[in-house]
Amino acid sequence: MTNTLLARAMGGTADPPLLPLPDRVAELLAELGSPPRLAAHLRAVHDVAHQLADWVGLTHPAVLFDREAVLFGAATHDVGKTVHVSELSGPGTEHEEAGRTLLLQHGVSPRLARFAATHASWAESRVGLDDLLVSLADKIWKNKRVPDLEDLVVARLAEVTGRAVWEEFIALDEVLARIGEGADGRLAFQASFPVGA
């Protein structure tokens, strides 16, 4: 039954409709014996990252970012919670470095594995737009607004486009509000799966 739940969490019919996790990620989660709730969470954040990446690509064509890296990062950012399962329902940061290490051990390049470690450390100066978009997806999937994080994204966009910061803020605010409207459905989808493997 757990395998069925995991498969459904990763790619089955969802309400609200959510994109399935990439095959490579689904195979990894199955191999690691991921709890279904973790897979459901990763799927929800991955879907939101798609929406953010689509928006940046459409409305900010001059902004260079690695779309595939953002999507992979969103789909794997909490993979360390397969080891630190208690952090699925409680606080903790041990999953961050554990996730990066796990991904590296499974042949994922450092360029892609980094998101597992950086998704919660977006305030560090070395973090790029790709990392910021993964962090933003990990917040807005549940409609959590983090002004400092959003300000960093706005600043990066304004730097490239030359538009006023307030213009970029309004544009980002609108898309985040729209994406945030689906939070209750995503939260219910995640909660419908057990924490245990």
Side-chain angles (χ1 to χ4, degrees):
M1 181 162 145
T2 300
N3 289 339
T4 303
L5 284 175
L6 181 59
R8 199 177 98 225
M10 294 188 296
T13 302
D15 182 27
L18 298 171
L19 294 169
L21 285 171
D23 291 342
R24 180 180 182 194
V25 175
E27 290 166 10
L28 177 63
L29 292 177
E31 184 180 329
L32 294 172
S34 172
R37 182 166 298 173
L38 173 59
H41 169 68
L42 293 173
R43 184 175 175 191
V45 175
H46 174 256
D47 186 83
V48 167
H50 258 279
Q51 294 178 58
L52 288 172
D54 288 349
W55 175 77
V56 172
L58 182 65
T59 62
H60 296 77
V63 173
L64 300 178
F65 71 104
D66 187 338
R67 177 186 175 83
E68 294 311 311
V70 168
L71 299 179
F72 186 85
T76 59
H77 73 282
D78 275 347
V79 73
K81 291 183 181 181
T82 59
V83 176
H84 299 282
V85 179
S86 65
E87 293 184 15
L88 267 173
S89 55
T93 59
E94 291 183 35
H95 73 278
E96 295 165 12
E97 188 54 39
R100 187 183 73 77
T101 301
L102 247 166
L103 290 171
L104 292 171
Q105 289 171 346
H106 283 83
V108 175
S109 71
R111 177 182 73 81
L112 296 175
R114 77 178 194 267
F115 296 101
T118 64
H119 70 275
S121 57
W122 43 265
E124 294 183 20
S125 60
R126 69 180 181 4
V127 173
L129 181 61
D130 296 349
D131 304 87
L132 294 175
L133 291 173
V134 171
S135 298
L136 189 58
D138 189 34
K139 298 301 181 192
I140 203 62
W141 80 275
K142 60 184 174 182
N143 203 23
K144 181 175 183 180
R145 301 295 298 262
V146 183
D148 291 347
L149 173 57
E150 294 173 24
D151 288 347
L152 289 171
V153 174
V154 164
R156 299 289 171 95
L157 295 176
E159 184 180 302
V160 174
T161 65
R163 288 174 40 179
V165 169
W166 67 266
E167 288 180 276
E168 292 295 355
F169 172 81
I170 289 171
L172 182 65
D173 184 63
E174 287 175 0
V175 75
L176 295 182
R178 180 182 52 77
I179 293 171
E181 289 173 1
D184 288 346
R186 289 186 293 267
L187 284 162
F189 172 76
Q190 176 183 287
S192 71
F193 293 94
V195 172

